[in-house]
Amino acid sequence: MREVGIVGVGHTKFGKTDQDFLTMLGEAALLCLDDAGVAPGPGAGIDQVLVASVGGGMVNRISASASALVDTLHLCPAMAECVENGPASGASAVKLGYMAIASGMCDCVLVVGGEKMNGKGGAAATDFVSTMLHPEAEYAYGLTLTAFVAMFTRLIMEKYGVTAEDMARVAVKNHENAMHNPDAQLHKRVTLEELTEGPDLERKNPLVADPLRRYDMCPMSDGAAAVLLCAMERAERFVKPPVRIAGIGQATDTHVVANRAVPTDLLAVRLAAQRAYAMAGLGPEDMDVAELHDAFQILEIVESEEVGFFPRGEGHLAVRRGDTALGGRIPINPSGGLKAKGHPLGATGVSQVVEIVRQLRREAGVRQVEGAKAGLCVNFGGFGNNVVATVLTRA
Amino acid sequence: MREVGIVGVGHTKFGKTDQDFLTMLGEAALLCLDDAGVAPGPGAGIDQVLVASVGGGMVNRISASASALVDTLHLCPAMAECVENGPASGASAVKLGYMAIASGMCDCVLVVGGEKMNGKGGAAATDFVSTMLHPEAEYAYGLTLTAFVAMFTRLIMEKYGVTAEDMARVAVKNHENAMHNPDAQLHKRVTLEELTEGPDLERKNPLVADPLRRYDMCPMSDGAAAVLLCAMERAERFVKPPVRIAGIGQATDTHVVANRAVPTDLLAVRLAAQRAYAMAGLGPEDMDVAELHDAFQILEIVESEEVGFFPRGEGHLAVRRGDTALGGRIPINPSGGLKAKGHPLGATGVSQVVEIVRQLRREAGVRQVEGAKAGLCVNFGGFGNNVVATVLTRA
């Protein structure tokens, strides 16, 4: 199998944009090509473009946006497809791009993930996100993702002693990290006290779905991110040294959450990480940094256990010790994570890879994890029904 | 690069269904697994499921349907993604499945394409289909795909002498072929006279967008189709001999139709076919049968030229001679084509492959092309902005 590297990254400022969907994708793509040192056009040598998005059709009413993007970037007759896998769409597109190169069918693949979620009211956005639940067994009954996570959180709290303060600690850490990421949506330092106590708690951090408060989950975001993949043997024509995609693992779990044997396990996270480690010939102890999918702060805690960083039920203790902060044993979400960097669904899996590439290139500035040689991304689809893990290493 | 074969096919009866979207996908998948001689479940050895659909989100309000399908078929923890490329989504999914196996990441991939387009009124469906036009340069101005094809048709008629009768001849042929395809939507024999003359022409074949009449285009369809791909070296565990995917080619053209140098050329069709032939080491003269994308009957004529079956501007003369009918020089659309078999967008590219597999296995019954050893599929996205061509051969 041919080895594949990442030779360019691009990222818009996450938040709320006035750009249309296609222009936003184009911005991330142009930043990525510029980072790789190539100009848009047929001379870029791009064989395939993959666009990751969930709401391109439902929210933005565009189909075949990959074809439109190829035209916008003057890349015709390059091949183009859109990829959708709920909130894991971004990593899925990176995986399919990897396969395209590993197969020998392509040398160079541009992957762009993006979502424009604002402009819809809160109820409409919640409904859109809920379409990733099982259509007959869950969505049809009005279940929302937030409701699922609330129930999951309550179980985890009772089983392992995780507290509201532990979840708030994750938020505080990720907001702090985001202060140093210019692409992050939220540049706002918060304290544990603000998020957990005081007479005006309900105003500062209102309850959304008991026990979840606003700061226990990510914001609604617009944004796009892009990576340029290339066969390692062809990577020297780009200006920066490639970062190697050392391993990719993916696993599905029952789509119907009620059918899971142990409702507090995130089995697909565990399997996906194991597969990615096995392909890379590395283990959790070799990871220097990680971007985990903290759409809800409880997920960062449980994922940090499932990927093997901490024993089961002890992820929250690691947070209390500061193990996952910058400077800690294994910094998690130096980018600010979905919590503070933002979570434009289709962009997120690509954005995680962008952050780890920047970390491994030592381009992360104040949030740099010193000496980072290997990193892990976990992109989590639905309520853990489809998870992609990616291991990146310095080439 | 590992060789890839098709070891199973499944196809629902196209038309109008009361099934929900997911059940319809599941029916095609189960028929496919049954054809391959394996039962659903982890024992099937399926590493990856790809679902091709355009309206899963916009029309059926489901995202991540591939994850739901994996669960429905008891295939967890197999990998899963949805693929969208307008009306070429099906062939795009076959291509990505091919890459997954050729890369060595997978041995066995299930590809299911499906669309449930009915249940929406005519205007809503026309609008949904129009979302594949360029979002700012075309769709925003109310342009529809039918309007584009009408303008294209008028140019072709003036340039090459194609007549309304020629388009009707294609419809008559494809309706005749569909009489012998139990999965076809329309089982209705029509005559050239009925479609082109008589005092009640406007009732029998009303004008839709001058010069296009109802029988110059495909119907609105629900339906799904599935193929099981496998590394050739692992194919012996299935009950039927594999059909080889000998070549896959894809090309994009300008998404904005007005930007094309020669508006009567379908450049992406030509390039995609050339690439597929080159990969297969075959040429148009080696093809014994073809499924071309006749969403509009004029497209079958022009595509038959672009893929090299006939000289430019002479495709309609071949139709008049009967070259493309069963028993002719190169039978086109023995399945009935999109015209009479139906065109559930995401299903079509997969359905075309199903028909060629049946032809190469000599399972096509009355519509069998005798001695067929190689066949071509052309799946046409948008207004020719993204085209996938596939060459299949008997292994």
Side-chain angles (χ1 to χ4, degrees):
Chain A
M1 204 152 68
R2 294 166 98 198
E3 284 203 292
V4 180
I6 299 169
V7 295
V9 298
H11 204 289
T12 70
K13 164 108 170 69
F14 284 2
K16 192 165 163 48
T17 184
D18 293 329
Q19 291 177 326
D20 62 68
F21 179 64
L22 191 59
T23 304
M24 190 184 69
L25 297 180
E27 183 188 335
L30 290 173
L31 288 167
C32 177
L33 296 180
D34 190 55
D35 180 64
V38 292
I46 293 170
D47 305 305
Q48 165 87 55
V49 174
L50 292 169
V51 168
S53 169
V54 185
M58 265 191 286
V59 179
N60 309 112
R61 206 150 181 89
I62 301 175
S63 52
S65 53
S67 303
L69 185 63
V70 161
D71 189 12
T72 300
L73 299 172
H74 302 295
L75 297 176
C76 294
M79 306 190 284
E81 269 93 20
C82 300
V83 178
E84 191 265 308
N85 181 21
S89 298
S92 278
V94 172
K95 183 197 75 167
L96 292 168
Y98 178 96
M99 287 172 165
I101 295 172
S103 73
M105 291 276 283
C106 297
D107 286 333
C108 198
V109 176
L110 177 66
V111 179
V112 186
E115 212 72 61
K116 195 174 167 184
M117 302 174 72
N118 282 305
K120 294 270 169 184
T126 298
D127 182 66
F128 157 58
V129 171
S130 300
T131 62
M132 70 186 66
L133 303 177
H134 194 282
E136 290 110 54
E138 297 172 341
Y139 177 68
Y141 297 99
L143 268 164
T144 66
L145 200 59
T146 310
F148 264 122
V149 179
M151 293 187 278
F152 175 82
T153 303
R154 184 61 77 194
L155 285 173
I156 291 284
M157 292 171 100
E158 295 192 359
K159 193 165 179 179
Y160 299 117
V162 176
T163 65
E165 286 72 26
D166 292 325
M167 293 190 286
R169 282 185 184 97
V170 177
V172 169
K173 167 181 73 71
N174 291 352
H175 273 260
E176 177 61 33
N177 291 350
M179 295 300 292
H180 312 294
N181 182 355
D183 293 333
Q185 176 168 356
L186 302 175
H187 289 135
K188 180 187 179 191
R189 208 164 255 133
V190 290
T191 66
L192 185 59
E193 294 66 35
E194 283 176 294
L195 301 190
T196 58
E197 58 191 58
D200 54 351
L201 177 61
E202 193 53 33
R203 185 186 59 77
K204 290 185 302 187
N205 192 13
L207 206 58
V208 175
D210 192 15
L212 301 176
R213 293 180 177 272
R214 181 182 288 162
Y215 278 83
D216 296 324
M217 62 196 67
C218 65
M220 198 69 67
S221 314
D222 304 333
V227 294
L228 186 61
L229 311 184
C230 183
M232 286 298 270
E233 74 217 36
R234 304 286 177 98
E236 74 278 3
R237 75 182 176 94
F238 301 98
V239 294
K240 293 186 182 177
V243 165
R244 175 177 285 118
I245 300 181
I248 299 184
Q250 183 179 10
T252 48
D253 195 354
T254 63
H255 200 89
V256 181
V257 176
N259 289 347
R260 296 186 191 163
V262 184
T264 48
D265 284 8
L266 297 176
L267 185 60
V269 174
R270 199 183 323 156
L271 281 176
Q274 285 171 355
R275 288 172 171 190
Y277 292 142
M279 184 170 159
L282 297 170
E285 65 284 1
D286 299 308
M287 298 301 111
D288 301 304
V289 55
E291 288 281 311
L292 302 184
H293 193 107
D294 63 325
F296 297 87
Q297 302 327 109
I298 191 71
L299 293 181
E300 179 176 316
I301 293 172
V302 181
E303 289 170 23
S304 74
E305 303 164 7
E306 295 285 16
V307 303
F309 293 158
F310 308 109
R312 178 177 301 285
E314 297 186 16
H316 63 295
L317 304 179
V319 175
R320 290 182 198 172
R321 290 192 301 264
D323 286 357
T324 60
L326 278 169
R329 204 186 100 200
I330 170 77
I332 294 177
N333 288 325
S335 69
L338 284 58
K339 175 67 199 82
K341 186 187 56 185
H343 181 27
L345 302 182
T348 284
V350 183
S351 168
Q352 292 179 318
V353 171
V354 169
E355 175 66 13
I356 297 296
V357 167
R358 287 178 171 161
Q359 289 285 345
L360 299 181
R361 284 178 177 174
R362 316 286 161 79
E363 290 180 348
V366 176
R367 67 185 195 281
Q368 179 67 49
V369 175
E370 280 189 42
K373 292 188 292 293
L376 174 73
C377 302
V378 171
N379 195 192
F380 184 92
F383 189 68
N385 58 45
N386 198 331
V387 177
V388 183
T390 311
V391 171
L392 304 175
T393 59
R394 279 173 71 91
Chain B
M1 203 153 69
R2 294 166 97 198
E3 284 203 292
V4 180
I6 298 170
V7 294
V9 298
H11 204 290
T12 70
K13 164 107 170 67
F14 283 2
K16 192 164 163 48
T17 184
D18 293 329
Q19 290 177 327
D20 62 68
F21 178 64
L22 191 59
T23 304
M24 191 184 70
L25 297 180
E27 182 187 335
L30 290 173
L31 289 167
C32 177
L33 295 180
D34 190 56
D35 180 64
V38 293
I46 293 170
D47 304 304
Q48 165 86 55
V49 174
L50 292 169
V51 168
S53 169
V54 185
M58 265 191 285
V59 179
N60 309 113
R61 208 151 180 87
I62 301 175
S63 52
S65 53
S67 303
L69 185 64
V70 162
D71 190 11
T72 301
L73 299 172
H74 302 293
L75 297 177
C76 294
M79 306 190 282
E81 269 93 19
C82 300
V83 178
E84 192 265 308
N85 181 21
S89 297
S92 278
V94 171
K95 183 197 76 166
L96 292 169
Y98 178 95
M99 288 172 165
I101 295 171
S103 73
M105 290 276 283
C106 297
D107 286 333
C108 197
V109 176
L110 177 65
V111 179
V112 185
E115 212 72 62
K116 194 173 168 185
M117 302 174 70
N118 283 304
K120 294 269 167 183
T126 298
D127 181 66
F128 157 59
V129 171
S130 300
T131 62
M132 69 186 67
L133 303 177
H134 194 282
E136 291 109 54
E138 298 171 340
Y139 177 67
Y141 296 99
L143 267 164
T144 66
L145 200 59
T146 309
F148 263 122
V149 180
M151 293 187 279
F152 175 82
T153 302
R154 183 62 75 195
L155 285 173
I156 291 285
M157 291 172 99
E158 295 192 359
K159 192 165 180 179
Y160 300 117
V162 176
T163 65
E165 286 72 25
D166 292 325
M167 293 190 287
R169 282 185 185 97
V170 176
V172 168
K173 166 181 74 71
N174 291 353
H175 272 262
E176 176 62 32
N177 292 350
M179 296 299 293
H180 311 296
N181 182 354
D183 292 332
Q185 176 167 357
L186 301 174
H187 288 136
K188 180 187 179 190
R189 209 164 254 133
V190 289
T191 66
L192 185 58
E193 293 67 33
E194 282 176 294
L195 301 190
T196 57
E197 59 190 58
D200 55 349
L201 178 60
E202 195 52 34
R203 183 186 59 76
K204 289 185 302 188
N205 192 13
L207 207 57
V208 175
D210 193 14
L212 301 176
R213 293 179 176 272
R214 180 181 289 162
Y215 279 83
D216 295 324
M217 61 196 68
C218 65
M220 197 70 67
S221 314
D222 304 333
V227 294
L228 187 61
L229 310 185
C230 184
M232 286 297 271
E233 73 217 37
R234 303 286 177 98
E236 73 278 3
R237 76 184 176 92
F238 301 99
V239 296
K240 294 185 181 176
V243 165
R244 175 177 285 118
I245 300 180
I248 299 183
Q250 184 180 10
T252 47
D253 195 355
T254 63
H255 201 89
V256 181
V257 175
N259 289 346
R260 297 187 191 162
V262 184
T264 48
D265 284 8
L266 296 175
L267 184 60
V269 174
R270 199 184 324 157
L271 281 176
Q274 284 172 353
R275 288 171 169 190
Y277 291 142
M279 184 171 159
L282 297 170
E285 65 284 1
D286 299 307
M287 298 300 110
D288 301 305
V289 55
E291 288 282 310
L292 302 185
H293 193 108
D294 62 324
F296 297 87
Q297 302 327 109
I298 191 70
L299 292 180
E300 179 176 314
I301 293 172
V302 181
E303 289 171 22
S304 74
E305 302 164 8
E306 295 285 16
V307 303
F309 292 158
F310 308 109
R312 178 177 303 285
E314 297 186 15
H316 64 295
L317 304 178
V319 175
R320 290 182 197 171
R321 289 192 302 262
D323 287 357
T324 61
L326 278 169
R329 205 187 99 198
I330 170 76
I332 294 177
N333 288 325
S335 70
L338 285 57
K339 175 69 199 82
K341 185 187 55 183
H343 181 28
L345 302 182
T348 284
V350 183
S351 168
Q352 293 179 318
V353 171
V354 169
E355 175 66 12
I356 297 296
V357 168
R358 286 177 171 161
Q359 290 285 345
L360 298 182
R361 283 178 177 174
R362 317 285 162 79
E363 290 179 348
V366 176
R367 67 185 195 281
Q368 178 67 49
V369 174
E370 279 189 44
K373 291 189 293 293
L376 174 73
C377 302
V378 170
N379 195 192
F380 183 92
F383 189 66
N385 56 46
N386 197 332
V387 177
V388 183
T390 311
V391 171
L392 304 175
T393 59
R394 280 173 69 92

